[in-house]
Amino acid sequence: MKALPSDRMVYNVRAIDLYSGIGGWSLGLKLAGVQVVNSYEWWKPAIDTHNANFGGELEPVDIRKLELADLPDDIELVVGSPPCTEFSYSNRGGSGNISEGLKDLVKFFEVVDHLKPKFWAMENVPRVEQVIRKGMADPKHVLYSFRHLAPEIDVFDFSEYGAPQARRRCIATNIPLDIIKGFGAHVEPRTLGDVVQSLSAGAEVVDPVWGVRLPIGDVTETQSEPPLRGEELRMNRDAKEHHPVYNNMAFPDPLDRAARTVTATCTRVSRESIVIADPRRAGEFRRLTIRERAGLQGFPITYQFFGRSFAEKAKMIGNAIPPTFTHLIALAAQGVKPEQFLGFAAAGNALQVPKRVAPVTEPDGEGRTYPAKRAFRAALPGFRFKSGMRFDLSNTVLDGGTQWSVRFFYGPSKDIRQIDLDGEVTRDLRRSPWLAELLTGFRRELARAESFLVATSPNGLQEAWTKRSAGIGPFEVTDKLAALAEELHSRIEAELDPSDGPLLADYIVTVASGGGPVDKLVSRGKLERNAARIIAGIVVGEWFNGLTWHCEHKAAA
């Protein structure tokens, strides 16, 4: 590695890397001139990746059982990223086993307390900020005995420090945070487009962060997945643009800003998946390649990933810490001032492809078949009202067959309720002369829709959904029901006398309240504003749920 300029006042700092993963800490430190004496990790694929890129011979180790006496001496910097799974809000809705996760935090602090390095730094998910703060302030907490370490703690967005992705993580350290934050003003922002376009530019690839250049043939992990098709494309778009509870996302992901967080696990139909318009195939959309994911995490184009599959490589990259940020921490620990920062390319010119090149792992494709009990759930287009309120079509797979039903959900996202669509509302509506006449006149449309459905069956619909047979799929049924409800809504609006509007609104609120106190119905305003559309959805939903079309399932059961 080339020597760094003498005016940086870089010393021969010795460091160890705990929970090292694939080397996000080690790479950033080494490119800053830090000597990483040893790294510790338990997951074999991550160790293989670490060894290949750094020429090491690490073996898996259970860090929780690591003997403090076996640690190297004269360590001036301890860094690491204890497993975040139990602390992450994405793990079982934030209900991970906190006490289990604390074991790794305790071990990290034990190592720091034992070695007494000049500096140390830990990275984890944002939730850990409060875990550490509360733990070190509570005499009954397992972290209380480490309060003398007096960490500075804050949450950083790594996109502000060189990574082309918005990734918020907690940093606990004894390095002054003001110094680390100061580097943000001297880092050039990078975008998703910078990464994607650099890898599709032509014969030579220039790393958008580290500046290293390679012939396109020497850049690994550039294989693209097949483009999203049909149901996959729709599910991705709906999950991002029309999610019933969460905020909308752009689809496809915009190239002119930092990417969303690269995750360790996602599928071809995941809301979390980053989906781009394919720069080489107009009108097609795809997920990211392994190399694009790595670039968003700040790994240079020279880095190799030794996973046994596409999914395993995606997992190791998604779990890593960007070496762009660890590089800045290493500089701060060595006394480099933010204004002395020369840019990542100043260190990146020393990068080379390691002797061992990672084997090719074919990207994922659309599944040929899916599990027989594959779940389906989709909101009816035009009948989703945000904040959890929507009509949807879903399946219930039982031993005797599959039941399909339309449901209506309403209420705030933390208290979503449901109206049973069992025919009672439609029977009640027929007591109104003008609604009864309108519903009678709508029978022809319902009959046409039923003729469409008899071309399949509840079990046939499930067979199509699991790709075991061709035929009508559940999204086609969803769209048919939405179109039916939209037509009924148009007729209601056309026939609705202005004086009947408040009566419809009051009726829907009464149905939703279930006989309880109406004044405590949080979603009342939204129910009132959408009363005519909700009535149309209920009528169509109750019609569908009561069809003899379902008898196949009932007979089999």
Side-chain angles (χ1 to χ4, degrees), residues 7-28:
D7 64 355
R8 286 193 171 194
M9 301 175 291
V10 175
Y11 308 106
N12 186 25
V13 171
R14 287 165 52 87
I16 62 169
D17 180 2
L18 299 170
Y19 307 95
S20 58
I22 60 175
W25 277 107
S26 292
L27 180 61

Side-chain angles (χ1 to χ4, degrees), residues 201-413:
E204 185 181 57
V205 177
V206 180
D207 191 290
V209 175
W210 298 98
V212 61
R213 298 171 179 265
L214 286 179
I216 185 62
D218 292 345
V219 180
T220 59
E221 313 292 3
T222 59
Q223 296 81 12
S224 296
E225 288 182 339
L228 299 172
R229 302 284 189 195
E231 290 175 350
E232 290 183 325
L233 185 58
R234 172 162 180 168
M235 292 169 74
N236 271 281
R237 188 186 297 275
D238 281 359
K240 294 175 173 62
E241 293 185 339
H242 301 291
H243 196 279
V245 178
Y246 302 120
N247 292 332
N248 289 349
M249 296 178 177
F251 184 91
D253 284 78
L255 299 180
D256 60 351
R257 64 190 71 168
R260 291 183 291 106
T261 302
V262 174
T263 57
T265 56
C266 58
T267 68
R268 285 174 61 86
V269 293
S270 167
R271 176 175 161 87
E272 289 73 29
S273 291
I274 298 172
V275 176
I276 61 171
D278 195 324
R280 295 178 177 175
R281 298 178 179 85
E284 293 189 348
F285 303 89
R286 64 170 175 83
R287 296 198 305 162
L288 300 179
T289 66
I290 291 297
R291 181 55 60 190
E292 287 165 340
R293 295 167 193 249
L296 294 178
Q297 279 281 54
F299 283 91
I301 56 177
T302 55
Y303 216 77
Q304 303 297 301
F305 304 95
F306 283 78
R308 295 164 294 187
S309 66
F310 183 96
E312 193 166 77
K313 289 179 179 179
K315 178 180 178 180
M316 63 173 62
I317 291 169
N319 281 332
I321 181 173
T324 42
F325 191 78
T326 64
H327 184 69
L328 300 179
I329 284 185
L331 294 178
Q334 296 175 96
V336 177
K337 298 178 181 178
E339 58 268 22
Q340 294 175 299
F341 179 57
L342 302 180
F344 295 109
N349 59 15
L351 290 165
Q352 295 180 345
V353 178
K355 294 180 180 180
R356 289 182 59 202
V357 177
V360 174
T361 49
E362 289 300 320
D364 295 340
E366 184 177 5
R368 293 185 178 179
T369 61
Y370 291 89
K373 294 188 176 182
R374 184 188 186 194
F376 178 85
R377 183 176 183 180
L380 273 58
F383 291 82
R384 43 197 171 197
F385 311 98
K386 296 302 294 180
S387 301
M389 186 182 293
R390 80 271 183 194
F391 287 88
D392 72 26
L393 175 69
S394 62
N395 62 350
T396 302
V397 184
L398 305 172
D399 292 338
T402 307
Q403 178 75 24
W404 296 85
S405 59
V406 175
R407 300 177 297 175
F408 176 59
F409 296 93
Y410 65 98
S413 58

